[in-house]
Amino acid sequence: MGALQKAARPSAVRRVKWPVFPFDRSVRVSLWLSVALVTVLFGWGAWQRRWIADDGLIVLRTVRNLLAGNGPVFNAGERVEANTSTVWTYLLYAASWVGEPMRLEYVALAVALTLSLLGVVLLMLGAARLYAPSLRGRRAIMLPAGALVYIAVPPARDFATSGLESGLVMAYLGLLWWMMVCWGQPLRVRPENRWFIVALAFVAGCSVLVRPELALIGGAALIMMMIAARSWRRRGLIVLAGGLLPVAYQIFRMGYYGLLVPGTALAKDAAGDKWSQGLIYLANFNQPYALWVPVVLLVVLGVMLMFARRRPSFMRPALAPDYGRVARAVQSPAAVVTFMLVSGLLQALYWIRQGGDFMHGRVLLTPLFCLLAPVAVVPLAIPDGKDFSHETGYWLAGAVSVLWLGIAGWSLWAANSPGLDDDATHVTYSGIVDERRFYAQATGHAHPLTASDYLDYPRMAAVMVALDNTPQGALLLPSGNYTQWDLVPMIPPGSSPAVPATQKPQHTVFFTNLGMVGMNVGLDVRVLDQIGLANPLAAHTERLKHGRIGHDKNLFPDWVVADGPWVKWPPGIPPYLDRQWVAEAEAALQCPDTRAVLNSVRAPMTIRRFISNLVHSYEFTQYRIDRVPRYELARCGLPVPQVPPSPPRE
């Protein structure tokens, strides 16, 4: 009897390297037709709305510096991490080698669109695999549901080709979802290859490098894997595969940039909260498309499918004695679905707490994508009288059909919605705009794709003229006139101890729109903003309470004049700058702590500098200055310089 049990046990817990479900032909054909249909519709819709955002061009400026040998920086000689997604930056860097001599903008467009489509495909395949065990030997039709909802939302198509990391995020989440569903399947149908576990842990660990807030998702996946692992050796393998690359890059970030977080997180104070603005952002995303309608329909549909699913015998195989109840519960389809839904809710709460974004819908696409994953495709089972009576089976099929038709009808309406309509390009009190339509209107190009397209944006053509007209160097400040810039001349080399005789002419442009400026000027031109994305000084100011979301830091231009080889007295400075303020800003820059922060990104990179940055990265990340020079002098305990009053301007 014992011999018979031993002989039977291997077949009961037999594991296959990679299962191929015996789908009925109707399931296979309908699934791939659904995938093809959604992919074609999404690709066509994204192409109709193709563009490259100004923020997308910011990434390309960093790629240009990498290609030029200046390192992963925005301005040569100043180590600032101006991009949130590490993976996106280096992926475009690698793609630029493959796509050479294609323009960087077109490389970004192709990679973003490809990853966006791949993300939707993986989302649907993951959902199909989720339902696969219950469809074994049954006839059914796989219908696109949640995937239709996602591609119908106009911002999803807008940011599929924006040059931002949105497409990468969707591809990453789609891949993680598909792999987690594979991992959570019963023993008889999930891959038990050690390399699959390593690959899943590696993908989960990369979450923080795709976008920092995705660590909430990747971290949860790693915790689930650790709980379900059946040996400490396997747990060690998961930790090594999941943590090696993120930890290595974090050490590099701390030593190279002198920060614990990306420069963008510092500039936007990602630890802060603006709940009221976040709720406004949520309403702004929901209202034009009535997103609550598909949410209700999909919730009802999901509940019906959950209670109507078949539980085949191989879903509950005999398990090894050391495989506990908690581990079984964690490594199960139900736990994976819960993981994805909770991840979506946490992402939504994070962004609502943060205040959302200034781009309509952009940051809420990630939580929407997660929440739609379990119902990306849904099965419409053809009644066979086995699990239910024919009458009950037809009733269930009819209810699923009606709900799906409602989802499809909403998707058709939402896909053709005017969106924000008249408010799409107006920066109202909420600060939220339809970014694609805003730049299409501002540049006069229906599809602004290249940096040269942005030369038609107000002020941009004048930048090029001003640079050409100042071969001796100058600081360019935006004036009230869109066709000209205020110029602050460079102090003649050798006339001041701060400007040696060997100093070459320099140019600096001080402007909010870093991408369009940075990609249209040479890498020898320094481009700074008052927000702090590329400006290490502005990044360390306090967040303004009522500033526009994403733009709620604002460094006065006096600091830029003080922090450079520029003339600091009338008539060299524009009338709206005060000589006393400039002098106070110049004195405030001598604050020892401020000098230490600036040296961390400007001093030559050596082993000693790297270690110093590594040790002090926490202090540098927490450091803040006051944007008013006199208050900053008081904070640092420095005397206020006395400057003779300027003669009246004629």
Side-chain angles (χ1 to χ4, degrees):
M1 184 68 178
L4 290 175
Q5 287 179 342
K6 289 181 180 179
R9 180 169 295 176
S11 62
V13 296
R14 181 175 59 86
R15 306 172 182 116
V16 291
K17 291 184 177 180
W18 199 268
V20 177
F21 289 101
F23 279 147
D24 181 84
R25 184 178 180 182
S26 62
V27 178
R28 291 198 307 271
V29 172
S30 60
L31 172 61
W32 288 109
L33 284 177
S34 296
V35 170
L37 175 65
V38 170
T39 304
V40 169
L41 288 176
F42 190 33
W44 178 76
W47 185 255
Q48 293 297 314
R49 306 167 83 94
R50 62 192 181 278
W51 71 304
I52 297 291
D54 177 70
D55 284 36
L57 295 176
I58 292 177
V59 181
L60 298 185
R61 166 87 172 191
T62 302
V63 173
R64 284 178 64 198
N65 273 299
L66 279 167
L67 293 171
N70 297 327
V73 299
F74 191 81
N75 291 308
E78 200 165 58
R79 295 179 296 276
V80 174
E81 190 177 13
N83 311 320
T84 303
S85 175
T86 303
V87 174
W88 183 238
T89 300
Y90 288 98
L91 181 62
L92 289 184
Y93 173 56
S96 65
W97 286 96
V98 177
E100 193 178 5
M102 187 185 298
R103 288 187 64 128
L104 285 176
E105 295 93 322
Y106 295 142
V107 171
L109 177 73
V111 175
L113 180 57
T114 300
L115 290 176
S116 297
L117 298 179
L118 179 61
V120 173
V121 170
L122 290 170
L123 188 78
M124 299 176 71
L125 294 180
R129 187 180 177 90
L130 179 69
Y131 296 112
S134 64
L135 294 177
R136 178 173 177 155
R138 300 183 67 180
R139 290 192 303 156
I141 299 174
M142 300 300 288
L143 299 172
L148 274 183
V149 171
Y150 182 78
I151 70 171
V153 178
R157 285 169 281 142
D158 284 347
F159 291 103
T161 62
S162 63
L164 295 166
E165 69 278 358
S166 301
L168 171 65
V169 170
M170 300 309 128
Y172 172 79
L173 291 175
L175 177 62
L176 182 62
W177 160 245
W178 179 79
M179 295 183 77
M180 286 295 289
V181 171
C182 293
W183 173 82
Q185 297 285 2
L187 282 173
R188 293 283 297 275
V189 296
R190 70 166 176 254
E192 280 296 306
N193 190 312
R194 186 196 323 176
W195 293 110
F196 177 83
I197 300 298
V198 170
L200 176 56
F202 177 79
V203 170
C206 285
S207 58
V208 69
L209 300 179
V210 175
R211 274 195 68 93
E213 71 275 3
L214 294 184
L216 295 172
I217 300 178
L222 288 173
I223 291 172
M224 292 174 67
M225 295 178 68
M226 292 283 288
I227 294 173
R230 277 168 274 173
S231 68
W232 285 106
R233 182 178 179 182
R234 179 64 60 88
R235 291 188 179 97
L237 193 64
I238 292 170
V239 170
L240 182 64
L244 183 61
L245 185 59
V247 170
Y249 186 79
Q250 181 62 20
I251 293 172
F252 169 76
R253 171 183 284 147
M254 294 164 67
Y256 189 76
Y257 298 109
L259 294 175
L260 295 175
V261 296
T264 53
L266 177 65
K268 298 183 180 183
D269 269 348
D273 62 84
K274 286 192 173 183
W275 285 101
S276 59
Q277 177 63 26
L279 293 174
I280 292 173
Y281 188 78
L282 176 64
N284 177 270
F285 184 43
N286 166 72
Q287 187 174 3
Y289 320 113
L291 277 172
W292 62 271
V293 173
V295 168
V296 171
L297 294 176
L298 287 170
V299 167
V300 175
L301 183 58
V303 171
M304 289 185 61
L305 292 173
M306 181 179 67
F307 284 105
R309 75 188 188 279
R310 172 189 288 181
R311 297 176 178 84
S313 60
F314 72 85
M315 291 278 284
R316 298 183 297 275
L319 296 171
D322 62 339
Y323 197 52
R325 182 178 300 176
V326 174
R328 290 199 303 270
V330 169
Q331 193 171 2
S332 67
V336 171
V337 170
T338 303
F339 152 76
M340 204 63 178
L341 294 177
V342 172
S343 294
L345 292 174
L346 287 177
Q347 290 292 304
L349 284 174
Y350 170 82
W351 283 113
I352 292 172
R353 176 185 180 274
Q354 180 69 10
D357 192 38
F358 63 95
M359 301 186 196
H360 168 63
R362 181 176 78 104
V363 297
L364 291 182
L365 290 175
T366 297
L368 178 65
F369 197 80
C370 293
L371 293 172
L372 293 174
V375 287
V377 293
V378 295
L380 175 61
I382 299 174
D384 54 12
K386 294 180 180 179
D387 299 306
F388 308 98
S389 65
H390 280 287
E391 182 180 352
T392 302
Y394 281 117
W395 183 88
L396 286 172
V400 170
S401 299
V402 170
L403 290 170
W404 182 82
L405 287 173
I407 293 168
W410 175 89
S411 299
L412 182 62
W413 169 79
N416 295 282
S417 167
L420 296 182
D421 210 7
D422 293 337
D423 289 334
T425 59
H426 297 153
V427 184
T428 60
Y429 183 76
S430 72
I432 306 167
V433 297
D434 184 327
E435 193 82 347
R436 181 188 64 83
R437 289 171 62 181
F438 177 87
Y439 281 117
Q441 182 184 81
T443 62
H445 295 274
H447 305 289
L449 291 173
T450 64
S452 57
D453 290 336
Y454 280 91
L455 288 176
D456 293 321
Y457 184 82
R459 299 187 192 274
M460 280 306 302
V463 168
M464 311 308 292
V465 173
L467 292 175
D468 289 340
N469 290 341
T470 53
Q472 71 281 9
L475 167 65
L476 279 63
L477 301 175
S479 70
N481 188 337
Y482 279 11
T483 62
Q484 69 180 43
W485 287 73
D486 290 332
L487 304 178
V488 179
M490 186 175 170
I491 298 174
S495 63
S496 168
V499 185
T502 56
Q503 177 72 61
K504 295 181 179 179
Q506 292 185 6
H507 285 97
T508 296
V509 182
F510 186 61
F511 194 45
T512 307
N513 300 95
L514 292 171
M516 62 179 72
V517 177
M519 282 298 287
N520 276 300
V521 302
L523 295 179
D524 58 332
V525 177
R526 193 162 172 245
V527 183
L528 297 175
D529 64 318
Q530 69 269 39
I531 301 168
L533 297 178
N535 188 336
L537 203 57
H540 287 278
T541 59
E542 293 287 353
R543 191 179 189 187
L544 300 177
K545 186 175 182 180
H546 297 293
R548 184 188 179 196
I549 192 69
H551 298 72
D552 39 12
K553 289 189 177 182
N554 190 1
L555 188 71
F556 295 117
D558 308 73
W559 290 92
V560 185
V561 175
D563 185 33
W566 319 115
V567 171
K568 298 170 175 55
W569 51 85
I573 58 176
Y576 50 80
L577 296 185
D578 184 83
R579 184 180 180 183
Q580 179 67 33
W581 270 58
V582 173
E584 290 171 2
E586 191 175 18
L589 287 172
Q590 302 309 312
C591 178
D593 291 339
T594 303
R595 296 307 309 167
V597 168
L598 293 178
N599 284 336
S600 72
V601 298
R602 292 177 180 174
M605 177 50 61
T606 61
I607 295 295
R608 184 174 181 179
R609 168 54 54 192
F610 187 93
I611 295 174
S612 176
N613 284 357
L614 188 69
V615 172
H616 297 96
S617 57
Y618 176 79
E619 300 170 34
F620 295 156
T621 303
Q622 298 298 316
Y623 187 68
R624 295 294 182 272
I625 67 173
D626 200 298
R627 58 198 289 266
V628 178
R630 182 163 296 193
Y631 295 164
E632 176 63 9
L633 288 171
R635 186 189 69 84
C636 288
L638 297 175
V640 177
Q642 298 300 317
V643 178
S646 303
R649 297 176 184 265
E650 297 181 359

